[in-house]
Amino acid sequence: MEDLSHLASTLHNNADSNILVDFKGNEDAGVYRLSPTLALVQTADFITPVVNDPFAYGQIAAANALSDVYAMGGSVTCALNLMLWDMCRIPQDYAHAILEGGLSKIKEAGGALVGGHTIADDEQKYGLSVSGIIHPDKIWRNNGGKVGDALILTKPIGMGVLTTALKANLLDVKLQENISKIMATLNRKACEIASKFEIHACTDITGFGLLGHLSEMLNPNINIRLNGNAIPLVQEAISFAQDGIIPGGSCGNEKATQHLCKFNLSKTSKFYGLEILLFDAQTSGGLVFALDKTQAQILCKALQDNGIESAQIIGEIEPYSTQNSARIFIE
């Protein structure tokens, strides 16, 4: 996380008034204005296998890449496959199943597959370059949250720990199917429901973990306070975390973000002694919306009523305070 920020800080774009969102500000995708009423949303992402089934892996990798468009409030138009193929160890039918899984999610998103690029590589990777559209005045930035807003998270966390356990053959079939379904679920429905509300800020929870991505939502006027027990979590992640099954990325997230965080967890909190789960690196995680508290109650119920059962109000935005160096408080 720190390394990426340093690399991006050395890059400077051309002066162009049509660039509405670029790589500055840790945004989820770039946005370029095409006309007064239409803007292009552009993003790319690819990942190594997180599950054993190639079709499910393709679905998850595609959902993960498509999510960045939804985090900006946009809709998907088309995508390009990005395949790094270990040809010596991965047979053709396995690679074909990955691509079929990805295509199934592009279609579900209402988009079209228009091409792609493949490179021989010693480590299998797959993902998408995705294009979407949005009205230039309706872009959801990640740092527009206001004092008094509530925060809604739409998917449970714990995927980093659970996929690490899967690699060690520690998950039963039912749990494998459950986490595959969660990761393969598009954030399209959540985005479409939320678009009917005045969303002040939004991001999706992926590789930097919940607290890492929430730190990107901070602006100079706000702090964030979270209710730990309200944060949705796949329950089985607790026992694996207790056994020390933690991905390296989650530890890196903790190192990069912990200076912004202050924990005041009671012994009854599910995260007590397991704060690492709040830094856990996710694959194809949920969206976090910031909006007025009263509206948040209505949105959360609308999400739940439309099948997004894990959606929960997890905290609120408070005024910035100089009394403590921390900016995110977890109780």
Side-chain angles (χ1 to χ4, degrees):
M1 187 173 180
E2 289 177 312
D3 292 340
L4 290 175
S5 297
H6 175 70
L7 286 174
S9 69
T10 66
L11 302 176
H12 302 284
N13 229 330
N14 290 332
D16 186 339
S17 61
N18 289 314
I19 299 174
L20 304 181
V21 181
D22 63 6
F23 48 83
K24 299 172 185 175
N26 301 309
E27 296 288 353
D28 295 297
V31 184
Y32 189 89
R33 180 168 47 215
L34 301 175
S35 76
T37 59
L38 185 67
L40 171 71
V41 184
Q42 190 71 47
T43 187
D45 205 336
F46 54 85
I47 59 173
T48 57
V50 290
V51 294
N52 296 325
D53 179 79
F55 185 84
Y57 162 47
Q59 288 189 311
I60 293 164
N64 185 66
L66 294 163
S67 181
D68 287 336
V69 172
Y70 299 129
M72 304 303 293
S75 58
V76 171
T77 55
C78 58
L80 299 169
N81 279 325
L82 303 175
M83 171 81 89
L84 282 73
W85 183 15
D86 181 359
M87 297 178 181
C88 296
R89 290 181 292 177
I90 302 297
Q92 250 188 3
D93 58 347
Y94 186 102
H96 183 261
I98 294 171
L99 296 176
E100 286 288 354
L103 179 57
S104 73
K105 286 296 164 177
I106 296 168
K107 290 178 177 178
E108 185 182 334
L113 177 64
V114 293
H117 188 64
T118 303
I119 299 173
D121 194 273
D122 291 339
E123 186 176 35
Q124 181 64 52
K125 303 176 186 73
Y126 171 68
L128 303 173
S129 171
V130 186
S131 297
I133 55 173
I134 195 170
H135 192 287
D137 297 333
K138 296 182 179 180
I139 301 167
W140 294 340
R141 305 294 292 260
N142 62 12
N143 62 354
K146 301 179 181 180
V147 173
D149 282 355
L151 298 172
I152 297 174
L153 174 61
T154 64
K155 283 188 185 183
I157 62 172
M159 296 303 136
V161 165
L162 291 166
T163 54
T164 300
L166 173 59
K167 290 175 183 177
N169 297 315
L170 297 174
L171 300 192
D172 60 36
V173 173
K174 184 177 180 181
L175 185 52
Q176 289 182 46
E177 291 175 349
N178 182 37
I179 65 170
S180 291
K181 181 180 178 181
I182 292 169
M183 290 186 287
T185 298
L186 295 180
N187 284 323
R188 178 182 182 179
K189 185 187 291 185
C191 173
E192 291 175 347
I193 294 169
S195 68
K196 299 176 175 65
F197 294 76
E198 185 180 340
I199 302 299
H200 297 153
C202 181
T203 192
D204 63 340
I205 307 304
T206 53
F208 296 150
L210 177 62
L211 294 181
H213 286 287
L214 288 181
S215 73
E216 295 176 340
M217 297 186 79
L218 293 168
N219 63 54
N221 302 314
I222 67 170
N223 286 343
I224 290 174
R225 188 170 299 273
L226 300 177
N227 175 0
N229 278 331
I231 297 170
L233 171 73
V234 178
Q235 195 68 20
E236 290 87 348
I238 292 175
S239 60
F240 289 115
Q242 288 172 333
D243 291 340
I245 299 174
I246 309 292
S250 302
C251 298
N253 291 340
E254 181 179 35
K255 181 180 178 181
T257 312
Q258 61 184 345
H259 68 285
L260 293 172
C261 303
K262 183 174 177 60
F263 292 91
N264 187 25
L265 299 172
S266 70
K267 291 184 178 180
T268 60
S269 171
K270 59 191 173 188
F271 294 106
Y272 182 78
L274 294 171
E275 292 85 352
I276 188 65
L277 286 169
L278 295 168
F279 299 97
D280 190 37
Q282 304 301 289
T283 299
S284 190
L287 299 177
V288 173
F289 300 114
L291 71 164
D292 177 80
K293 283 182 185 178
T294 304
Q295 290 296 299
Q297 297 282 351
I298 301 170
L299 173 55
C300 193
K301 186 176 187 305
L303 292 166
Q304 294 169 350
D305 289 346
N306 283 275
I308 306 173
E309 298 172 359
S310 294
Q312 294 291 334
I313 295 175
I314 63 169
E316 60 187 25
I317 293 178
E318 298 181 338
Y320 172 73
S321 170
T322 58
Q323 295 180 358
N324 195 302
S325 60
R327 303 285 307 280
I328 303 173
F329 301 86
I330 308 97
E331 300 175 338

